Amino acid sequence: MTDLITTALVRLDTPLGDTKQDVIRSLAGIVGDAGRSHDVEQLVADAFAREDTSATGLPGGIAIPHCRTAGVEEPTLAFARLEPKVDFGAKDGPADLVFLIAAPAGGDADHLQILTQLARALVKPAFTDALRAAGSPADVVALVQRELGLETAETPTAPAGSSAPAAAAPAPDPAPEVAAGQRSLVAVTACPTGIAHTYMAAEALEAAAEKAGIALQVETQGSAGSTPLAPGTIAEADAVIFAVDVGVRDRGRFAGKPVVTSGVKRPIDDADTMIAEALRYADDPNAPRVEGHVSGEGGGAGDETWGGRVRRVLMTGVSYMIPFVAAGGLLIALGFLFGGYTITDSAQQILLENSFTNLPDVEALGLEHALLDSGFFAYIGAVLLIIGQTAFAFFVPALAGYIAYAIADRPGIAPGFVMGGLAANVIQVEGNYPVTGFLGAIVGGVLAGLIAHWIAGWKVPTWGRGLMPVLIIPLLTSIIAGFLMLVVLGRPISWLMGQLEDGLNSMSGSSAVLLGVILGLMMAFDMGGPLNKVAYSFAAAGVGGAALVTDAPELKIMAAVMLAGMVPPIALALATVIRPGLFSVPERENGKAGWALGASFITEGAIPFAAADPLRVIPAIMLGSAVTGGLSMALDVGVRAPHGGIFVLFAVDGVVGYLIALAAGVIVGAAAVIALKSIGSRDTDLATV
């Protein structure tokens, strides 16, 4: 890789302009003169766009304007020691040390890594003092490359008489400096799907901590899994931030730490304030703290409201339930694809009596819809169907189990699963047994969690403490909650489930279309927020109980929700293509990603647009999603998978209607966005290239 910084990219004690825009433009010109940019104007535009988002001035007379841009092909760092100083928006005054970081448009990892390393170096007085004392560009290059760990054989060695390298050379390991000069925080971010907000919140917190000169390590409990924070890191932290919409895994690790609690979206909008709150709580002996015994979500969970706590508990159960529904739904859909819709009548017989060497007779079994009339595909379909049904059998217990976990941590899991098993009748009790489905799972999970949390608070002798989480709490909770569910609550909840199913089955015509419109509005209003998640959870839970039925209303609801959630990113992407002049350069870049995000049913792809212009974007995408939701219900589209977008077309009933509804909503949404953005004056910083 080409050197990140060279002497041609350094200017010392040079006036580069009176404003930060002048300085950025001058530094971009230096990058171009050094042969590191093939489009200086694009680099300038992207740097200005990033600067408009938030000021890049840091305390101590430092500024780090930066951007991802198509104007460079390799990460580049330009440096200027200004005379006179220029204001970059820092609260303590103008800057005299300015770094311009330019990363390739596709180089997200490089951009963040460079920014993080540079920010960490800049909080060390020895490093900034050395920059101010550097006698030549070669000294600056040597110092920067040493601090960023980029030294190579070609890196110039600073002269012996130079004060800059002398200041930095004795400390090649930055850890002691950081430990002495920085306060330490840890954070956990998590959202129900773990696809978008988890990582956006983590990035925002990290950026805010870097800007504030705070050491922060974030554990992202997302869809790709997580790497738990080291016990030593947690022990040394002054406070912890929980930015979550679901339960924190192993919350007890943080017991006793001052805690700031919020939903996962707050850091994206207000990360600086959260860092400040965590530091303030660290110094306050009366601040909220993480519970010291069972890591429950009830009482004392920081400054979390009861409404937020209830939503987070329910979303925890839903987030753990979704993989069972997704895997089961896709497997069942594949079973139908290979074996035909009549495979349900003979799947068990095929599994018991046939094999790859003894394929089933499709004519004798009445499998006229098997793929290619093949016994081989009928056998594959039967196997996939059984696996999918097994996955579905766990979704109700998982919902209840992890709701209880969110309230009472690990001791709540076992009794929660038991309550879910009772709700789903997993042992298949015959007769007038009160099957309560997902409503029973929610009630049973909450009940089990609250009881487990209550029992965990009992004072027991020392010899009994080790038995509490593994025996006493699960046993007593299962007995008490199970008795209440079977004897007291089971039949009322079962009756309510029956009423709900009758209502859904009776939907037709305008009532079904109206429901689709309402679900579409909910999906687009907050793009991954509470309303979006309520609509999605309602649909996903319905799919879990109806994927084996040919024409279930629950499948139509899932289709309306999925299609409506796909519309916002795609509609905005289309709008950036039709009228690019209405959008800034970053928005146009986000539009390119919007195609894939929308097609994958990731509604959060619309968030950057809505954040920049909510009053015009949100109503427009709500209109498009409402059109799609209503059309989907009117055209009787059904989906057996709770996620996947266009990549699960094989699980769609009514593919033509699916595509028509999606296209109509996208067109309406894009047209509405363009119309609303065309009203009034255009922003002066919009791209014209």
Side-chain angles (χ1 to χ4, degrees):
M1 183 181 78
T2 305
D3 288 343
L4 179 69
I5 185 170
T6 67
T7 55
L9 295 168
V10 177
R11 296 293 185 272
L12 299 180
D13 304 323
T14 303
L16 296 182
D18 298 326
T19 67
K20 64 180 181 179
Q21 288 80 9
D22 294 336
V23 173
I24 291 173
R25 186 176 293 279
S26 297
L27 286 172
I30 292 169
V31 172
D33 293 340
R36 301 290 287 268
S37 173
H38 57 274
D39 190 344
V40 172
E41 288 304 316
Q42 184 66 55
L43 171 57
V44 170
D46 292 337
F48 282 179
R50 170 59 186 85
E51 198 70 19
D52 290 342
T53 302
S54 62
T56 55
L58 300 176
I62 304 159
I64 49 171
H66 57 279
C67 65
R68 294 184 291 267
T69 177
V72 300
E73 296 181 352
E74 293 189 71
T76 298
L77 179 63
F79 170 76
R81 189 170 66 200
L82 300 178
E83 181 60 38
K85 298 180 179 181
V86 174
D87 184 12
F88 271 80
K91 294 180 180 179
D92 63 344
D96 63 331
L97 302 179
V98 182
F99 287 89
L100 172 64
I101 304 170
D108 291 354
D110 287 335
H111 176 246
L112 294 175
Q113 183 179 13
I114 294 167
L115 182 57
T116 300
Q117 289 179 291
L118 184 60
R120 288 175 178 172
L122 289 172
V123 301
K124 298 191 300 181
F127 180 58
T128 53
D129 289 345
L131 287 174
R132 290 188 171 97
S136 69
D139 293 345
V140 173
V141 170
L143 178 62
V144 170
Q145 295 207 3
R146 182 178 298 114
E147 289 293 337
L148 299 184
L150 300 174
E151 287 184 296
T152 65
E154 291 75 29
T155 299
T157 301
S162 171
S163 59
D173 181 4
E177 294 264 10
V178 174
Q182 286 184 288
R183 303 190 68 179
S184 175
L185 301 174
V186 292
V188 176
T189 62
C191 65
T193 56
I195 295 175
H197 285 84
T198 299
Y199 303 100
M200 293 169 67
E203 181 177 338
L205 283 172
E206 289 168 348
E210 290 170 4
K211 186 165 62 175
I214 302 301
L216 172 72
Q217 291 198 38
V218 182
E219 180 178 313
T220 52
Q221 296 183 356
S223 59
S226 64
T227 301
L229 292 166
T233 300
I234 297 173
E236 294 173 3
D238 297 302
V240 58
I241 296 172
F242 291 154
V244 296
D245 283 339
V246 298
V248 176
R249 300 173 198 163
D250 296 332
R251 183 182 176 113
R253 295 173 294 159
F254 305 92
K257 290 289 181 184
V259 60
V260 174
T261 305
S262 78
V264 74
K265 291 185 70 174
R266 187 186 172 198
I268 300 172
D269 302 323
D270 202 17
D272 293 331
T273 301
M274 292 193 71
I275 295 294
E277 286 178 6
L279 295 175
R280 186 170 68 251
Y281 282 11
D283 297 328
D284 183 0
N286 298 317
R289 294 179 181 270
V290 181
E291 302 86 350
H293 297 289
V294 174
S295 304
E297 310 304 320
D303 55 1
E304 188 178 25
T305 65
W306 274 103
R309 185 174 301 141
V310 169
R311 184 173 71 88
R312 178 169 51 77
V313 166
L314 294 178
M315 288 299 99
T316 298
V318 170
S319 69
Y320 283 100
M321 174 199 79
I322 286 173
F324 292 96
V325 178
L330 291 173
L331 287 167
I332 290 172
L334 288 171
F336 287 152
L337 175 66
F338 290 124
Y341 287 108
T342 57
I343 192 68
T344 54
D345 300 326
S346 51
Q348 294 185 23
Q349 177 184 345
I350 291 173
L351 187 65
L352 294 173
E353 299 178 0
N354 299 106
S355 66
F356 283 116
T357 59
N358 178 28
L359 295 173
D361 185 338
V362 294
E363 293 184 4
L365 293 172
L367 300 176
E368 63 271 13
H369 299 296
L371 185 64
L372 303 178
D373 293 326
S374 166
F376 172 80
F377 285 118
Y379 181 73
I380 294 295
V383 171
L384 294 176
L385 182 71
I386 295 297
I387 298 173
Q389 288 176 310
T390 303
F392 261 151
F394 287 99
F395 99 84
V396 171
L399 175 62
Y402 286 103
I403 285 176
Y405 162 71
I407 298 173
D409 206 51
R410 290 182 180 180
I413 291 180
F417 265 84
V418 172
M419 296 310 102
L422 293 176
N425 190 19
V426 293
I427 63 172
Q428 299 183 349
V429 177
E430 297 181 357
N432 191 26
Y433 179 87
V435 177
T436 55
F438 76 91
L439 285 181
I442 293 173
V443 174
V446 171
L447 191 62
L450 292 175
I451 293 172
H453 188 56
W454 169 61
I455 295 174
W458 293 357
K459 294 186 180 298
V460 297
T462 303
W463 60 265
R465 292 175 184 172
L467 295 175
M468 286 289 284
V470 297
L471 176 61
I472 298 174
I473 296 175
L475 175 62
L476 294 181
T477 301
S478 297
I479 293 173
I480 298 171
F483 182 86
L484 291 174
M485 284 297 296
L486 287 176
V487 178
V488 180
L489 301 174
R491 297 197 183 281
I493 297 174
S494 180
W495 175 84
L496 184 60
M497 279 292 294
Q499 296 299 113
L500 177 61
E501 291 175 1
D502 291 342
L504 290 176
N505 288 325
S506 65
M507 280 194 321
S508 62
S510 60
S511 62
V513 172
L514 178 60
L515 177 60
V517 169
I518 293 172
L519 291 172
L521 293 171
M522 293 174 69
M523 289 299 294
F525 174 70
D526 54 2
M527 297 152 285
L531 283 179
N532 175 286
K533 289 298 185 282
V534 167
Y536 177 75
S537 301
F538 172 64
V543 169
L548 290 174
V549 184
T550 301
D551 191 32
E554 292 87 351
L555 303 184
K556 299 176 184 177
I557 291 172
M558 187 70 251
V561 165
M562 183 182 293
L563 284 165
M566 295 165 65
V567 166
I570 300 177
L572 289 163
L574 179 61
T576 62
V577 173
I578 296 175
R579 291 290 302 278
L582 295 175
F583 299 89
S584 66
V585 172
E587 286 176 329
R588 289 164 61 184
E589 289 298 318
N590 288 326
K592 296 175 183 178
W595 297 104
L597 292 173
S600 303
F601 183 33
I602 301 176
T603 315
E604 289 87 343
I607 289 177
F609 297 90
D613 191 5
L615 295 181
R616 290 185 286 189
V617 170
I618 292 177
I621 60 177
M622 287 177 67
L623 178 60
S625 291
V627 169
T628 289
L631 271 178
S632 176
M633 297 294 282
L635 297 173
D636 291 329
V637 180
V639 177
R640 300 175 186 278
H643 217 290
I646 64 170
F647 301 103
V648 292
L649 284 178
F650 62 86
V652 173
D653 298 333
V655 174
V656 174
Y658 182 96
L659 297 176
I660 290 174
L662 177 61
V666 167
I667 293 171
V668 170
V673 168
I674 292 171
L676 290 177
K677 278 187 167 288
S678 298
I679 298 174
S681 59
R682 292 174 55 187
D683 295 336
T684 57
D685 62 338
L686 294 184
T688 58
V689 294

